[in-house]
Amino acid sequence: MLRPLTIEEWIKEGNVPIIDVRSPAEHKHGHIPDAHTLPLFNDEERAKIGTLYKQVGKSEAILSGLDIVGPKMSAIIKQANELATNPKDAGHKTVRVHCWRGGMRSNSVAWLLNTAGFEKVFTLIGGYKAYRNWVLKTFEITYPLLILGGKTGSAKTEILNELANRKEPVIDLERLAHHKGSAFGWIGEQPQPSQEQFENNLAQDLYRLDPSDIWLEDESERIGLVRIPHPLFEQIRKAPVYFIDIPKQVRIQHLVKTYSHFGDEKLELSILRISKRLGGLNTKLALEALTKKEYDRVADITLNYYDKYYEGGVARRLPSSVIRITSDTIDPVSNADLILHHKSKSIHGIHKTHSV
């Protein structure tokens, strides 16, 4: 059975495998999360067909496309079979297939798979372009956000993970961005996704969460090379912040443990990236400390800048929206306990600093 789906219907078929028949370059630039790339044309072939279509005509482009696709049909069916086979019911194969606009590429592959015996082949009306429109609209929705704040080195990611373990709805922006936010945030991470892919992954995570309070970490609008979509960032800036206030020396120990084993060359590069903000003297002192492997001193100097920067960001929020929680530990379990305890009190309008 062949069936075109609206974007809303497509999203709801979340357990059905997705086949992206666009070219490898299109897929790499941005794709639906969990989609499998099975290109009808490679990048060069797509360019050739496009040129023929514009310069000669549609009929010639179609004939050339058929010449290219013919030898690939068997391989396409075999790969689709591997993706679509349900271990519990191998006789009922269902897939979703999409291209850029929901046109000839996806419809051709859908027809081929249907002919090859697939029980259900869904196509996406409007293609990936419709999906991108859905992604952007996702950020226009108003969400009940709760923001986890804290100065650099407060182990906020670990606290978020602990909150997630307790079934609290969590969006980990730094995980999605493959970056921890600061000039040192790229160290130990995979290459960052494109802006488009970051948005796709973020929208999918938002959609999958229950519409209750959603925890996010307090971030700048830019996380490395990607940006939080502006409508969502505006919501983050207006949401209540649970600020975990941990002593500097405790945070220094955490930062040394986190970064010191990645190599001094990466640390030096990161220090140089913020040299204008640190100032000439502090940059010199930090690099000298790094040469002596005095990692705690490096962290101390750089935190002087980051702490002022973060406090400046907090100061621009409404004072009533910032709930400060003091802690003398980096332990995420203890700090998650504190935050959830304070959240419970906040629900009843009680915003007082809580300590351990």
Side-chain angles (χ1 to χ4, degrees), residues 3-152:
R3 184 186 168 195
L5 301 179
T6 64
I7 184 59
E8 292 77 17
E9 293 171 326
W10 174 279
I11 294 296
K12 290 178 181 178
E13 294 288 347
N15 295 323
V16 177
I18 301 172
I19 295 176
D20 181 353
V21 299
R22 297 175 303 151
S23 68
E26 290 175 289
H27 182 87
K28 183 178 180 181
H29 181 71
H31 56 267
I32 300 175
D34 300 323
H36 303 272
T37 178
L38 207 170
L40 191 62
F41 304 119
N42 62 33
D43 298 330
E44 294 77 15
E45 291 165 347
R46 176 173 175 260
K48 176 183 176 182
I49 298 298
T51 301
L52 272 175
Y53 188 93
K54 291 178 181 179
Q55 296 182 357
V56 182
K58 181 178 179 179
S59 297
E60 289 77 4
I62 291 175
L63 288 173
S64 180
L66 290 172
D67 287 339
I68 294 171
V69 171
K72 300 181 180 181
M73 287 185 175
S74 176
I76 289 172
I77 294 170
K78 289 177 181 177
Q79 291 179 63
N81 268 319
E82 293 175 0
L83 297 174
T85 298
N86 184 344
K88 296 180 181 179
D89 190 355
H92 293 79
K93 293 175 290 186
T94 303
V95 291
R96 290 178 284 173
V97 180
H98 80 86
C99 59
W100 167 236
R101 292 181 183 272
M104 292 186 66
R105 284 186 289 178
S106 59
N107 287 325
S108 297
V109 172
W111 169 85
L112 176 64
L113 298 180
N114 182 65
T115 303
F118 280 63
E119 184 185 33
K120 295 179 183 178
V121 183
F122 300 128
T123 55
L124 176 57
I125 298 171
Y128 179 72
K129 186 176 181 180
Y131 176 79
R132 281 294 297 163
N133 289 334
W134 175 84
V135 165
L136 297 177
K137 288 179 181 178
T138 298
F139 304 129
E140 302 284 350
I141 298 171
T142 300
Y143 297 96
L145 302 182
L146 299 174
I147 308 305
L148 175 61
K151 296 174 184 176
T152 301

Side-chain angles (χ1 to χ4, degrees), residues 252-272:
I252 286 173
Q253 294 172 5
H254 175 67
L255 290 170
V256 170
K257 182 179 179 181
T258 300
Y259 289 108
S260 61
H261 62 281
F262 283 111
D264 292 356
E265 299 82 1
K266 293 179 180 179
L267 295 174
E268 179 180 355
L269 179 58
S270 297
I271 292 169
L272 292 174

Side-chain angles (χ1 to χ4, degrees), residues 340-354:
L340 291 177
H341 174 73
H342 214 84
K343 174 191 173 186
S344 176
K345 294 174 69 176
S346 298
I347 291 173
H348 298 93
I350 303 174
H351 287 180
K352 296 179 181 179
T353 300
H354 187 81

